[in-house]
Amino acid sequence: MEQLIEWINRQALSTKLKWTYLVTSGGVMLLSTLFLIGIQLYFFTAALVRQTQSQATMVGENLTAAMAFADAEAAGDILSALRVAPDVQSAVAYDAKGKAFVTFVRDPQSPPAAHDPRARETVVDVRGVSVTRRIQVGSRLLGTVVVRSSVTSVYRQLALYLALALPMTLALLSLSYYALSRLQRYFTAPIRALSAVSEQISRQGDYSLRAEVSQAADIGLLARTFNGMLDRIQKRELELEAEINERKRIEVKLDRLAHYDPVTQLNNRHFFNERLESVLARARKFDERTILMFIDLDNFKTVNDTLGHDIGDELLRLVSRRLSETLRFGDVLSRIGGDEFGIILENVSQVGVASLIAEKCLLKLADPIHIHGHDIHIGASIGISVYPDDATDMHALLKYADTAMYYAKNGGKNAWRMFTPSMRDDAHKRFKLDNNLRRALERDEFVLHYQPQVDLKTGDIVGVEALIRWIHPQLGMVSPNDFIPVAEDTGLIVPIGEWVLREACRDLKRWHAEGHPLRVAVNLSGRQLKENNLVAAVLATLREADVDPCWLELELTESMLMDASTDIVDRLHALTDAGIQLAIDDFGTGYSSMSYLKTFPVRALKVDRSFVRGLPQDPEDAAITRAIIAMARSLRMEIVAEGIETQEQHDFLRAHGCDKSQGYLYGRPCAAAQIGQMLARTGAGACAVD
């Protein structure tokens, strides 16, 4: 040691400064390296702890359902998902009694994570990190899960850091030594300048001499630079932590939005489909029966449009609560659409369970629902399909339940239907009709036939009813009973109805030009009646054909009038104010009421053929027909009888004051040209019956 001190004393000042700088720099670099290694060890370990805590929390939440149902296989699948996390060495789920329920171990030679009830939730030691999370539903403790991660990756990263830092430190010191050796004269120049000035002042005695030495504050600059670097590091760390927290918050929010309905707080369609897929996989594996139910609320749109969306949302919440009360523990209820709900019944031994639950649902919804002073009566149409009886594919099962629900709704609503193979055949037929119907107008496949209407007093043909026919190139003549309901459901009835009215007005104009003063009757659908531009469209068609509105009669059904809103009533009055006549078709088959007959601007009633068929022999048909004629007379309405096929029916109706009639007795529906020939043969329009 004394020899070293003696050697140092013999060296020049520049050499001492150089070695002092090298030793100091080397020491600073070594301490900085050790300090940074310590920081890295802290951050790596903290990151591993956070990662393990997140994995334990996620696994604990995912294990809730499996632990609740004691499903060891599902729990094992959940723990096996930790295999993708390389740091996780083991995970053990313990039940509420502390017994191991299911275990995941990456290395079979390594012991699994142990559970110590007295230990803290997070334990960090030199070998790894252990995190314990409680698994519970509400206040009910189902068990705990212990996830242990190894710190091997942390040590490996530190070793790599040392392996890179030490050689780099030595290289920098060597480079510094070489640079200082070359540039030491610049480092000692201020000192030499001071020495020279001092010697000159001593020799000359001139104290005015000054040495020009740089005033650079190197250490101050280094300190400011280093602090600035630390400021940037701290700022970046805070930003990174805030970004991670925000991402976690967004992930939680997105997960809830992806799986829950915000109105009813039920699971949504996305969750429903995922759950159905997993339930069917389990049913396929264990040969179990699963039942799928589709529920569509009846007349919900009317409530929503009339009372507002706020009451509509509250109604959905109360309906979902009532439906939940009808289900068994473990059954799945989801809102899968606007007013549609889905139910999954797992592991059902008897198909009859579905009918019992469907009846309970309808019974629950039968009671009025009170919302903000309104008593709302809501029903439901329920469709049911069964795995594997009806289908083994999830999408087919969904489609069949929807088909059965459609049949329940079309069968009168507030009912349930089980899927049957005949429904599938009807659905295929309906799909085929739908596809062809969309191109029928473009391909000019529709034609109009007309059935004469005869004045029973004079025997003259005074009007015709326009009846649409569809002649398909492959399917042939398609009955209106088959394609009109499809057109109603798809909305195609609106353009088809416009085409019928336009063609009927053109034919009517041609007959008038030939000297035949006829009135044409055109059927109006409920879908058309709800169109806001109905009145404008009808009047525009009349103007285009140059036909006076008084020659047009629009036929409505009783059900259309019973469901009529204020807007629809206004449209009917607008049509009659323009001169158009309104008639009720198939009168007597619906909810006949004197009050609504007096309310709506209707000028004619058409007696349904079901009452005419038994005339004059059937006393009940005769009594009903006389009553309808008398009622029409009292309301100053015209009465028209349909389905006249015999002379006896003709004579009975004429004798009892019926105004007009139509049926096969006077002529079958035929093309417009044939109607013109019929009118030409009978001169002024007298029918051959007279």
Side-chain angles (χ1 to χ4, degrees):
M1 187 67 182
E2 292 179 356
Q3 292 178 350
L4 178 61
I5 294 174
E6 184 178 352
W7 179 83
I8 292 174
N9 290 333
R10 290 197 303 266
Q11 302 302 314
L13 179 61
S14 59
T15 302
K16 293 179 181 179
L17 291 175
K18 178 174 63 178
W19 281 103
T20 301
Y21 177 81
L22 288 175
V23 172
T24 304
S25 299
V28 169
M29 293 179 69
L30 179 60
L31 291 176
S32 299
T33 301
L34 293 176
F35 177 70
L36 290 176
I37 288 175
I39 291 177
Q40 292 293 336
L41 175 61
Y42 171 77
F43 283 130
F44 287 159
T45 305
L48 181 62
V49 169
R50 288 195 299 271
Q51 175 183 310
T52 306
Q53 289 173 340
S54 298
Q55 290 164 342
T57 301
M58 178 186 67
V59 169
E61 291 175 351
N62 292 339
L63 282 173
T64 302
M67 295 289 286
F69 292 99
D71 191 344
E73 181 178 356
D77 291 341
I78 293 171
L79 290 188
S80 297
L82 293 173
R83 192 172 296 279
V84 300
D87 292 327
V88 176
Q89 294 302 303
S90 66
V92 182
Y94 296 91
D95 59 20
K97 297 180 179 179
K99 291 185 178 181
F101 180 69
V102 67
T103 303
F104 162 76
V105 179
R106 185 178 299 277
D107 184 4
Q109 303 301 324
S110 301
H115 172 47
D116 185 359
R118 297 168 298 177
R120 294 174 297 170
E121 288 190 351
T122 302
V123 179
V124 182
D125 54 37
V126 295
R127 291 176 299 175
V129 177
S130 294
V131 176
T132 303
R133 286 289 184 267
R134 293 164 62 89
I135 304 172
Q136 60 186 30
V137 176
S139 60
R140 177 191 170 192
L141 177 64
L142 301 178
T144 57
V145 61
V146 181
V147 179
R148 182 166 181 82
S149 297
S150 173
V151 294
T152 302
S153 61
V154 175
Y155 295 153
R156 190 181 298 115
Q157 289 172 318
L158 291 178
L160 178 62
Y161 186 87
L162 276 174
L164 294 175
L166 290 178
M168 187 176 294
T169 301
L170 293 175
L172 289 174
L173 287 175
S174 300
L175 183 61
S176 298
Y177 179 81
Y178 175 78
L180 286 172
S181 299
R182 299 283 296 178
L183 300 174
Q184 62 179 349
R185 64 179 178 274
Y186 296 105
F187 298 153
T188 59
I191 299 176
R192 290 199 303 270
L194 288 174
S195 299
V197 170
S198 298
E199 182 181 359
Q200 187 178 2
I201 291 173
S202 178
R203 187 176 63 248
Q204 296 179 0
D206 187 1
Y207 293 98
S208 63
L209 298 175
R210 296 289 185 271
E212 296 182 2
V213 180
S214 173
Q215 300 296 321
D218 298 331
I219 297 179
L221 178 61
L222 178 61
R224 289 193 298 272
T225 304
F226 184 74
N227 289 334
M229 180 183 67
L230 290 179
D231 289 341
R232 287 194 296 273
I233 292 175
Q234 184 182 20
K235 181 179 179 182
R236 179 55 185 160
E237 182 71 16
L238 292 174
E239 290 176 350
L240 183 60
E241 185 177 355
E243 183 179 350
I244 292 174
N245 291 334
E246 180 64 15
R247 286 186 179 182
K248 289 181 179 179
R249 188 186 67 80
I250 292 175
E251 287 175 0
V252 171
K253 183 177 181 180
L254 289 177
D255 180 73
R256 182 152 191 89
L257 289 175
H259 292 91
Y260 286 88
D261 169 51
V263 176
T264 62
Q265 301 305 310
L266 295 175
N267 297 116
N268 61 10
R269 178 187 289 272
H270 180 66
F271 174 88
F272 184 81
N273 290 338
E274 287 183 348
R275 183 61 181 271
L276 179 60
E277 190 172 7
S278 64
V279 167
L280 292 182
R282 174 181 172 83
R284 195 176 295 114
K285 183 176 181 179
F286 295 102
D287 194 23
E288 297 174 348
R289 179 180 281 109
T290 298
I291 291 177
L292 177 64
M293 301 174 65
F294 266 11
I295 302 176
D296 185 89
L297 301 183
D298 297 332
N299 306 319
F300 175 76
K301 186 177 185 302
T302 303
V303 175
N304 221 20
D305 294 343
T306 305
L307 301 179
H309 292 283
D310 291 340
I311 290 183
D313 289 346
E314 181 64 20
L315 177 61
L316 289 174
R317 283 189 284 271
L318 295 177
V319 166
S320 65
R321 191 177 306 165
R322 290 191 178 185
L323 291 176
S324 299
E325 294 171 355
T326 66
L327 302 182
R328 309 170 305 170
F329 179 77
D331 293 339
V332 178
L333 172 65
S334 298
R335 182 189 177 198
I336 58 177
D339 60 344
E340 294 181 347
F341 297 84
I343 296 176
I344 303 173
L345 307 179
E346 298 184 53
N347 192 17
V348 178
S349 57
Q350 299 292 333
V351 178
V353 172
S355 61
L356 292 176
I357 292 182
E359 290 289 353
K360 287 174 63 179
C361 289
L362 294 178
L363 190 61
K364 272 285 187 181
L365 297 179
D367 294 333
I369 299 177
H370 309 284
I371 303 177
H372 301 328
H374 300 282
D375 287 341
I376 301 175
H377 295 267
I378 195 82
S381 300
I382 304 176
I384 305 170
S385 61
V386 183
Y387 170 92
D389 303 26
D390 298 327
T392 57
D393 175 68
M394 182 185 81
H395 299 288
L397 204 65
L398 289 167
K399 181 174 66 176
Y400 293 160
D402 187 60
T403 300
M405 184 269 292
Y406 171 83
Y407 271 79
K409 189 169 288 292
N410 280 1
K413 302 181 180 180
N414 198 36
W416 60 270
R417 292 288 184 275
M418 297 284 293
F419 176 79
T420 61
S422 62
M423 293 181 182
R424 179 176 54 229
D425 298 337
D426 290 346
H428 289 165
K429 180 181 178 182
R430 180 185 178 86
F431 178 76
K432 188 174 182 180
L433 277 178
D434 185 11
N435 286 340
N436 285 281
L437 191 61
R438 294 181 183 276
R439 297 189 292 270
L441 273 176
E442 302 172 6
R443 297 176 178 178
D444 199 23
E445 294 174 357
F446 290 119
V447 296
L448 279 189
H449 285 181
Y450 298 92
Q451 188 169 34
Q453 293 181 341
V454 174
D455 187 323
L456 288 175
K457 293 180 180 178
T458 64
D460 293 338
I461 299 176
V462 293
V464 290
E465 180 181 1
L467 304 170
I468 189 171
R469 297 292 184 265
W470 180 14
I471 305 175
H472 190 272
Q474 284 79 40
L475 302 177
M477 181 72 76
V478 182
S479 170
N481 293 332
D482 292 333
F483 73 82
I484 290 298
V486 177
E488 284 273 7
D489 291 341
T490 59
L492 292 172
I493 193 66
V494 175
I496 291 175
E498 293 174 351
W499 178 87
V500 170
L501 182 62
R502 188 163 54 250
E503 291 298 312
C505 288
R506 289 175 182 173
D507 291 336
L508 182 64
K509 178 65 177 178
R510 188 160 47 251
W511 292 324
H512 284 186
E514 294 171 357
H516 306 300
L518 297 179
R519 175 180 286 117
V520 66
V522 176
N523 290 283
L524 198 63
S525 74
R527 189 69 174 264
Q528 288 176 278
L529 197 57
K530 294 177 181 178
E531 292 291 312
N532 293 329
N533 64 337
L534 171 67
V535 177
V538 171
L539 296 180
T541 302
L542 289 169
R543 285 194 300 270
E544 180 184 347
D546 191 22
V547 172
D548 192 297
C550 69
W551 297 106
L552 174 64
E553 183 175 83
L554 297 178
E555 295 187 1
L556 315 169
T557 63
E558 290 179 274
S559 60
M560 290 164 58
L561 297 180
M562 291 299 295
D563 296 333
S565 63
T566 304
D567 291 340
I568 290 178
V569 174
D570 293 340
R571 291 185 198 116
L572 295 178
H573 280 285
L575 290 171
T576 56
D577 291 344
I580 298 170
Q581 309 297 320
L582 299 180
I584 298 180
D585 194 15
D586 300 332
F587 184 78
T589 59
Y591 304 95
S592 303
S593 169
M594 288 287 286
S595 62
Y596 85 74
L597 286 177
K598 192 170 64 173
T599 301
F600 297 104
V602 177
R603 67 169 295 276
L605 301 180
K606 298 189 71 175
V607 182
D608 187 70
R609 65 185 68 247
S610 62
F611 302 125
V612 174
R613 188 179 299 117
L615 296 179
Q617 293 82 8
D618 190 312
E620 292 183 357
D621 286 344
I624 292 173
T625 303
R626 286 195 299 267
I628 294 176
I629 294 174
M631 180 175 61
R633 289 290 178 217
S634 66
L635 295 175
R636 296 183 179 87
M637 292 182 179
E638 188 177 64
I639 191 75
V640 182
E642 297 180 298
I644 311 303
E645 297 182 1
T646 65
Q647 184 66 41
E648 290 78 8
Q649 293 169 345
H650 170 93
D651 295 339
F652 178 89
L653 292 168
R654 181 176 182 178
H656 288 85
C658 183
D659 298 305
K660 295 189 297 185
S661 61
Q662 65 183 80
Y664 289 170
L665 179 64
Y666 316 110
R668 292 178 176 270
C670 55
Q674 293 175 276
I675 292 292
Q677 295 172 4
M678 182 186 303
L679 292 170
R681 285 196 305 269
T682 57
C687 182
V689 173
D690 278 349

